[in-house]
Amino acid sequence: MKLAGLIIVMICGGLLLTATQDFPAWGDPSSPASTHLSPHFITEALHETGAPNLVTAVLADYRGYDTMFETVVVFGAGLACILLLRTYTQRTRGREYRHIPTGIVIHIQDPNKAPKGQREFQLIDNMWVPHDLIIKTVCRILIPFIQIFGLYVVCHGDFSPGGGFQGGVIFGASLILLALSFDLRTFLEQMSEKALGLLCALGVVIYSGIGCMCILLGGNFLDYSQLAAVLPVDPGHVRALGMLGVEIGVGFSVMSVMAILYVNIASAGRHNQGL
């Protein structure tokens, strides 16, 4: 099976490398992208899309199909990670509890039992590393600001550098920071596995849903100008709002997949403990 996979990868890689021979030279000023596409995007993007940020205009409007399928690929990566790594078989090595007032760690062999006076005990990982109070406190203060900045990057993607990919990464990093500074269980209490999966799929649904809505309103797929029929705003901003919607969808998928990758890799797919 591994040999078959290796052969398939080598064949696909060879085909892709062969195709690159037809590409124009790197930085060629006479290539079609330099003589036709780039000048058009630079001079007409604001007028045609209404987005001041040229990068967002290209990603979410001119090549909206490409970005949508990139989001699908991100969703597929998260789904593949779950299918390959997630396991519901739990090890029976017992559990460790830390007595909070004294710091004494006890081991209980039966994982279904808990010590008496459970409020005074904290469930810890088998490979427990004492959490630093300073790190936990600083992270508790920083994480909300990181998440607000992530939302800002997503929402201002059409006006300034940013967008769904960048904002999703920032928001996902804040969730991973929560797991690192506290533990994996605290993270999963705030964002369950089911919620991560739903948000991941929701991102693709939002993106494709906006495109389909444009069709239902009489336009082409991702023709944001058709949204003027349902959005009570200045027609000049309709396309920018449509792009904001797809950026939010991208942000959901990227954030969720980052968290899914971390949770499954850190816990070897068991979701019970990890870094």
Side-chain angles (χ1 to χ4, degrees):
M1 189 65 182
K2 292 182 178 178
L3 179 61
L6 178 62
I7 292 174
I8 293 173
V9 169
M10 293 181 66
I11 292 175
C12 292
L15 290 174
L16 291 173
L17 290 175
T18 303
T20 59
Q21 295 178 357
D22 295 329
F23 287 179
W26 181 262
D28 183 4
S30 61
S31 66
S34 300
T35 58
H36 172 64
L37 288 178
S38 296
H40 178 82
F41 291 160
I42 294 171
T43 57
E44 302 296 334
L46 180 60
H47 171 69
E48 292 181 346
T49 68
N53 185 359
L54 178 58
V55 176
T56 300
V58 173
L59 289 178
D61 198 311
Y62 288 120
R63 41 163 280 191
Y65 278 97
D66 185 73
T67 305
M68 185 185 74
F69 286 111
E70 286 177 356
T71 308
V72 174
V73 169
V74 170
F75 169 73
L79 185 62
C81 180
I82 293 174
L83 294 176
L84 292 174
L85 298 179
R86 186 72 171 101
T87 176
Y88 295 92
T89 303
Q90 302 294 334
R91 294 178 179 174
T92 56
R93 295 191 303 177
R95 290 181 174 179
E96 274 74 28
Y97 289 86
R98 183 175 73 92
H99 188 236
I100 298 174
T102 62
I104 296 175
V105 177
I106 63 173
H107 176 85
I108 296 181
Q109 186 63 34
D110 188 347
N112 296 319
K113 291 185 177 179
K116 294 181 180 178
Q118 197 169 0
R119 289 186 177 181
E120 297 182 351
F121 287 89
Q122 176 192 13
L123 177 63
I124 60 175
D125 295 349
N126 292 332
M127 299 294 291
W128 182 58
V129 177
H131 297 297
D132 191 291
L133 178 62
I134 296 176
I135 294 176
K136 293 175 69 173
T137 304
V138 170
C139 290
R140 182 184 290 134
I141 296 172
L142 282 181
I143 287 172
F145 290 99
I146 295 173
Q147 293 177 342
I148 290 173
F149 181 66
L151 293 175
Y152 169 83
V153 170
V154 171
C155 295
H156 279 250
D158 55 336
F159 287 98
S160 59
F165 287 103
Q166 297 87 340
V169 168
I170 293 172
F171 211 96
S174 73
L175 297 178
I176 294 175
L177 182 61
L178 173 66
L180 289 172
S181 57
F182 287 79
D183 52 47
L184 198 61
R185 288 178 295 277
T186 303
F187 168 80
L188 290 173
E189 287 173 1
Q190 301 298 321
M191 188 73 74
S192 67
E193 178 187 17
K194 185 180 293 185
L196 290 173
L198 290 175
L199 286 174
C200 186
L202 179 63
V204 179
V205 171
I206 290 175
Y207 202 131
S208 56
I210 290 175
C212 292
M213 183 180 293
C214 297
I215 295 177
L216 295 175
L217 293 173
N220 296 320
F221 189 74
L222 292 177
D223 180 6
Y224 303 115
S225 62
Q226 301 301 320
L227 299 176
V230 295
L231 294 177
V233 297
D234 181 0
H237 294 143
V238 168
R239 299 187 71 87
L241 285 179
M243 283 183 272
L244 173 61
V246 302
E247 294 283 10
I248 292 174
V250 172
F252 275 142
S253 292
V254 172
M255 174 203 70
S256 305
V257 168
M258 279 190 64
I260 289 171
L261 291 175
Y262 172 79
V263 169
N264 284 282
I265 292 174
S267 66
R270 293 184 174 85
H271 291 201
N272 56 351
Q273 57 179 283
L275 290 176

